[in-house]
Amino acid sequence: MPYQHISKSVVKRLPVYLRILDQLIQRKIEMVSSKDLSNESGFTAEQIRKDFAYFGAFGTRGAGYNTVYLREKIIKIIGLDQVIDTIVVGAGNLGTALTRYNSAKNFYVNVVGVFDHDPRLIGKKIDSIDIFSVDDIPAFIAENKIKVAIIAVPAAAAQDIADLLTVNGVKAILNFAPVKLKVAGEVHVHNADLTIELQSLIYYSSAEEDRLKRLKQEVKGSKSLKSLPLD
Ligand code: NAI
């Protein structure tokens, strides 16, 4: 079964293709070439052709790929052919924003419940979605067959929440807390970290050259650091 062997890197690229295809279909574009997809995604045209051939989607020479067909194939592979019910743990600033965004803008995912331990929040709503106590998580997961959850609690609480989620059957976690979660082998965790993204992006900001020059000067001035490969 070829679908069972799709590599992690391909799986990470599929949602990128899906987003582009959604936009093309909205613009009523029926065919797309791997070159156009490359321009939109940043992946090479060769990589794209390889990815698609991997799951049996082949373009027509000169015409490219049918956008609707390709989108259908990708949503089936990802498992988005039915809307996925998910829960958010942590009803603070980030949890609230994620709940609002995913309810309003992400039509592949449905946030069906938010959980917190703060009694001031329990019983309230984020838009139309109820905030429940974390104590209700096991029953809620069982009743609603939840397999995907989002963690938006402080780092110190995240591992306990991950344990609670996974012991009750959650198989995939999107973790926003700045901590590496330990989970059983069959559970998948994706970490989202805007701070790290931003900090590594700052490296490429305009001051890069000056900073490296300054660093070189400092290294030259310090005998103990002379072996650093900055030249
Ligand atoms: P916040 O303080 O506004 O919200 C945290 C919520 O978690 C609160 O409502 C609190 O009552 C709840 N909480 C704490 N311990 C809990 C527990 N044991 N069980 C259930 N609920 C619990 O914090 P904010 O700004 O929403 O950040 C949440 C997390 O997301 C933090 O870990 C923060 O570092 C992280 N974060 C990550 C970002 C990223 O890009 N990955 C961006 C912003 C925040």
Side-chain angles (χ1 to χ4, degrees):
M1 286 293 288
Y3 290 170
Q4 285 170 356
H5 303 295
I6 291 182
S7 74
K8 276 188 184 168
S9 47
V10 179
V11 171
K12 282 214 156 182
R13 286 193 287 272
L14 292 179
V16 179
Y17 299 137
L18 182 57
R19 178 181 288 171
I20 297 167
L21 289 166
D22 278 338
Q23 289 163 353
L24 292 172
I25 290 165
Q26 261 173 22
R27 285 159 47 207
K28 310 223 178 317
I29 294 172
E30 281 176 24
M31 301 297 287
V32 64
S33 66
S34 47
K35 192 163 166 278
D36 288 340
L37 283 168
S38 168
N39 288 339
E40 296 288 331
S41 66
F43 310 135
T44 66
E46 194 194 354
Q47 180 74 74
I48 292 166
R49 281 192 295 271
K50 252 198 208 161
D51 285 352
F52 292 172
Y54 204 36
F55 54 80
F58 300 98
T60 316
R61 193 168 276 279
Y65 298 88
N66 181 290
T67 50
V68 172
Y69 173 79
L70 201 53
R71 175 184 176 274
E72 270 169 23
K73 227 163 169 130
I74 289 175
I75 61 175
K76 275 195 188 132
I77 291 168
I78 302 179
L80 290 172
D81 42 341
Q82 48 196 9
V83 177
I84 301 297
D85 286 344
T86 184
I87 57 172
V88 174
V89 188
N93 291 309
L94 185 64
T96 301
L98 290 168
T99 303
R100 289 217 165 103
Y101 176 80
N102 282 302
S103 312
K105 303 267 169 67
N106 186 349
F107 45 80
Y108 293 110
V109 171
N110 202 9
V111 179
V112 289
V114 183
F115 296 84
D116 206 284
H117 71 170
D118 185 339
R120 291 168 300 178
L121 296 174
I122 296 164
K124 296 208 165 132
K125 282 177 191 279
I126 298 173
D127 294 340
S128 61
I129 299 152
D130 291 309
I131 303 174
F132 302 103
S133 161
V134 274
D135 297 338
D136 297 332
I137 285 179
F140 193 95
I141 288 178
E143 204 172 305
N144 296 282
K145 300 187 175 55
I146 301 295
K147 295 285 173 225
V148 182
I150 299 174
I151 293 185
V153 296
Q159 185 62 56
D160 283 350
I161 295 297
D163 292 345
L164 179 67
L165 293 169
T166 53
V167 89
N168 284 288
V170 164
K171 295 284 176 227
I173 295 174
L174 179 57
N175 172 40
F176 282 86
V179 62
K180 188 167 176 359
L181 298 174
K182 293 191 189 81
V183 291
E186 77 276 7
V187 178
H188 290 268
V189 177
H190 281 193
N191 295 298
D193 201 325
L194 297 179
T195 314
I196 297 225
E197 293 286 334
L198 195 55
Q199 282 172 355
S200 49
L201 191 63
I202 285 167
Y203 176 86
Y204 297 105
S205 64
S206 57
E208 182 188 13
E209 216 172 296
D210 287 350
R211 234 182 21 254
L212 287 182
K213 261 188 209 154
R214 245 185 298 124
L215 206 55
K216 269 190 198 176
Q217 292 296 336
E218 280 173 26
V219 171
K220 270 186 190 150
S222 155
K223 281 186 181 167
S224 62
L225 290 175
K226 267 192 175 150
S227 59
L228 272 181
L230 284 171
D231 277 319

